[in-house]
Amino acid sequence: MRPEGYIPGIDPMEFLFQARERHLVLEAQVAAVDYPDNIPTWILIFPGLDGVKGYVPASETGLPSRELVRRFVGQTVRVKVKGIDRANGIVACSRQEAVADAAAKLLPELAANPDTVLDAVVRAVLPREDGASPRLLVDVGGGVLAEIPYAQARVWLSRPLGAQYAPGQRVKVKITRVDPQTGLVDASIRKALPDPWETADFRRGQFVSGTVARTDGERVFVEPDMAPGILGIAPPPIEGEVRRGDRVTCVVASFDREKRRLRLRLRGRLA
């Protein structure tokens, strides 16, 4: 006799069998990456399906590079079940097929509606390599990926991308180009946001905190905490020096929104 309120659990393998038969797309978490036969392979766990492991080899991740496989550890992905080993509680899965289904619906829609602004999820911050600047990899829907170049990804001019974004973070992006034939999507975070100069408000004599973005020996460029995306210009300090990344306080000397000009004077360094 079952207790009152008892809800019988589902058979995980039967559920996955039905998902395979019906070509359903399931969500799973990338719990680890293993390297059988030197092939990077995701090990998946399924919420609510204890004792089951899914396996996705690099060729079925739908990612453009094997180097990206490890960057998805801990993240949620959408997959289709392709094979089942009931005895060992193992299922073979494909993210590539799930993403292909999503792309077939999403890409024509985006191509027909240029300049669409939508919610996206950060998948990875890709490091500088081969002379190229860091860039951001985001999911614009259903696992369809867009690579956002450095200039269009950074909102804070004084902070590296890794300090601005983390995997799983939600962001607004503006779709700037779509090629349904190749599946390439170009997007921008900066273009999805208001022009920072249009909303900035500074007054002469106002004290502000900020971060040094760069210095050229004759000028110090400071990004105020209250206005990411804007660089104020200050003379170098009379004594000592400041470097990129230093936290400082400044006084506003002048502000001209139309000319996009913010003049500052350094007043001290913050700890």
Side-chain angles (χ1 to χ4, degrees), residues 108-262:
E109 181 180 334
L110 294 179
N113 297 278
D115 298 328
T116 298
V117 175
L118 45 74
D119 290 314
V121 173
V122 174
R123 285 302 201 178
V125 179
L126 305 178
R128 183 187 303 273
E129 58 183 18
D130 298 329
S133 298
R135 61 255 190 242
L136 203 63
L137 192 68
V138 301
D139 181 340
V140 297
V144 177
L145 300 177
E147 193 173 291
I148 303 180
Y150 178 72
Q152 295 301 320
R154 64 176 187 162
V155 174
W156 291 90
L157 305 180
S158 60
R159 302 178 185 178
L161 288 191
Q164 297 184 51
Y165 302 104
Q169 180 177 337
R170 290 177 57 184
V171 293
K172 289 283 187 182
V173 301
K174 185 174 186 177
I175 304 301
T176 57
R177 186 176 71 92
V178 178
D179 187 337
Q181 300 302 318
T182 62
L184 293 177
V185 178
D186 291 339
S188 168
I189 290 177
R190 287 181 62 88
K191 291 181 179 179
L193 300 172
D195 183 340
W197 286 97
E198 295 299 324
T199 56
D201 184 21
F202 293 95
R203 298 185 303 278
R204 179 180 173 85
Q206 186 178 29
F207 278 79
V208 298
S209 60
T211 303
V212 176
R214 66 178 188 274
T215 178
D216 61 8
E218 297 181 355
R219 297 168 297 177
V220 178
F221 297 85
V222 178
E223 184 174 29
D225 293 341
M226 63 187 291
I230 287 179
L231 291 182
I233 301 176
I238 297 176
E239 296 182 358
E241 63 178 354
V242 292
R243 299 175 180 175
R244 180 181 179 183
D246 284 349
R247 301 279 296 138
V248 295
T249 57
C250 306
V251 65
V252 176
S254 65
F255 173 62
D256 190 324
R257 180 180 289 109
E258 291 185 0
K259 293 182 179 180
R260 294 175 175 250
R261 183 181 299 160
L262 173 63

Side-chain angles (χ1 to χ4, degrees), residues 14-26:
E14 179 60 27
F15 174 83
L16 292 167
F17 174 80
Q18 294 298 328
R20 185 188 68 176
E21 294 299 298
R22 299 177 185 179
H23 306 288
L24 300 180
V25 174
L26 305 178

